[in-house]
């Protein structure tokens, strides 16, 4: 991972820890609201590759079942595992940011919990609303499925 001041501006803007942390936090928060349980740590590595690429983000809809969405959008997910691997360092950076800011906490069982109202709930910037809404949808899909392994398999990614 390059030092912050050595990164291209595009990377700094799109993949900064605060923005990526907001997306991860929103997904975790939605998952916890739906399941009343903590968020499995391994699922955090699937959030950014599902939300950041335009083609994948644009295909996310309110379909209730994640597996159905994956089947309907399989062409959008070609190369997903490569994208997920590429985004691991940025996910780690965002998680560190969330942990250091006490927005989330790592439980003894290795899952995440959120500190309620840790992040501002209402986002006024219209460009971010789509990202936030898609993050919530991913949280709902993960909550509906709950099985980390099957979610990874569905996306063609090995944990």
């Amino acid at each position: 991972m390059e030092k912050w001041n050595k990164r291209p501006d595009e990377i700094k803007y799109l993949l900064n820890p605060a923005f990526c942390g907001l997306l991860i936090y929103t997904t975790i928060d939605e998952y916890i609201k739906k399941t009343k349980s903590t968020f499995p740590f391994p699922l955090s590595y699937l959030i950014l590759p599902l939300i950041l690429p335009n083609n994948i983000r644009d295909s996310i809809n309110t379909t209730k079942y994640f597996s159905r969405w994956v089947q309907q959008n399989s062409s959008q997910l070609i190369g997903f595992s490569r994208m997920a691997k590429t985004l691991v360092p940025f996910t780690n950076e965002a998680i560190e940011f969330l942990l250091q800011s006490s927005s989330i906490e790592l439980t003894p069982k290795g899952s995440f919990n959120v500190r309620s109202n840790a992040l501002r709930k209402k986002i006024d910037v219209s460009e971010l609303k789509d990202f936030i809404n898609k993050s919530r949808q991913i949280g709902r899909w993960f909550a509906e499925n709950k099985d980390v392994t099957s979610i990874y398999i569905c996306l063609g990614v090995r944990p």
Side-chain angles (χ1 to χ4, degrees):
M1 177 75 85
E2 286 187 71
K3 292 187 181 225
W4 187 257
N5 60 351
K6 300 283 185 196
R7 296 180 194 180
D9 288 340
E10 298 80 21
I11 300 292
K12 288 181 193 176
Y13 297 144
L14 183 60
L15 298 173
N16 74 71
F19 174 65
C20 293
L22 174 65
L23 301 177
I24 292 169
Y25 177 90
T26 302
T27 302
I28 293 171
D29 187 48
E30 189 70 23
Y31 179 95
I32 291 170
K33 284 179 190 173
K34 296 293 180 192
T35 64
K36 307 291 187 244
S37 64
T38 57
F39 185 85
F41 176 79
L43 289 180
S44 52
Y45 290 99
L46 301 177
I47 298 168
L48 296 181
L50 284 169
I51 296 172
L52 293 179
N54 288 336
N55 63 322
I56 297 174
R57 185 178 62 256
D58 291 344
S59 70
I60 294 173
N61 56 35
T62 56
T63 299
K64 183 173 181 176
Y65 298 105
F66 180 65
S67 58
R68 183 176 296 149
W69 175 80
V70 169
Q71 286 176 339
Q72 293 170 346
N73 295 283
S74 59
S75 63
Q76 303 296 329
L77 297 170
I78 294 171
F80 180 83
S81 61
R82 190 174 356 104
M83 173 67 72
K85 186 177 181 179
T86 300
L87 290 173
V88 164
F90 300 100
T91 298
N92 287 340
E93 231 178 23
I95 290 170
E96 287 177 33
F97 172 80
L98 291 170
L99 289 167
Q100 287 177 358
S101 66
S102 299
S103 300
I104 62 172
E105 62 184 8
L106 188 60
T107 69
K109 292 185 178 184
S111 56
F112 289 125
N113 210 350
V114 294
R115 200 179 98 224
S116 59
N117 298 321
L119 295 177
R120 199 170 135 223
K121 296 290 182 181
K122 186 177 179 183
I123 304 296
D124 295 327
V125 181
S126 61
E127 290 90 28
L128 293 182
K129 285 184 182 179
D130 187 47
F131 286 94
I132 299 300
N133 290 336
K134 302 302 171 96
S135 296
R136 286 190 182 113
Q137 180 61 39
I138 291 169
R140 288 190 288 273
W141 280 339
F142 288 173
E144 184 69 34
N145 194 310
K146 293 182 193 169
D147 182 39
V148 173
T149 304
S150 67
I151 292 171
Y152 266 79
I153 289 170
C154 199
L155 290 167
V157 179
R158 289 190 305 204

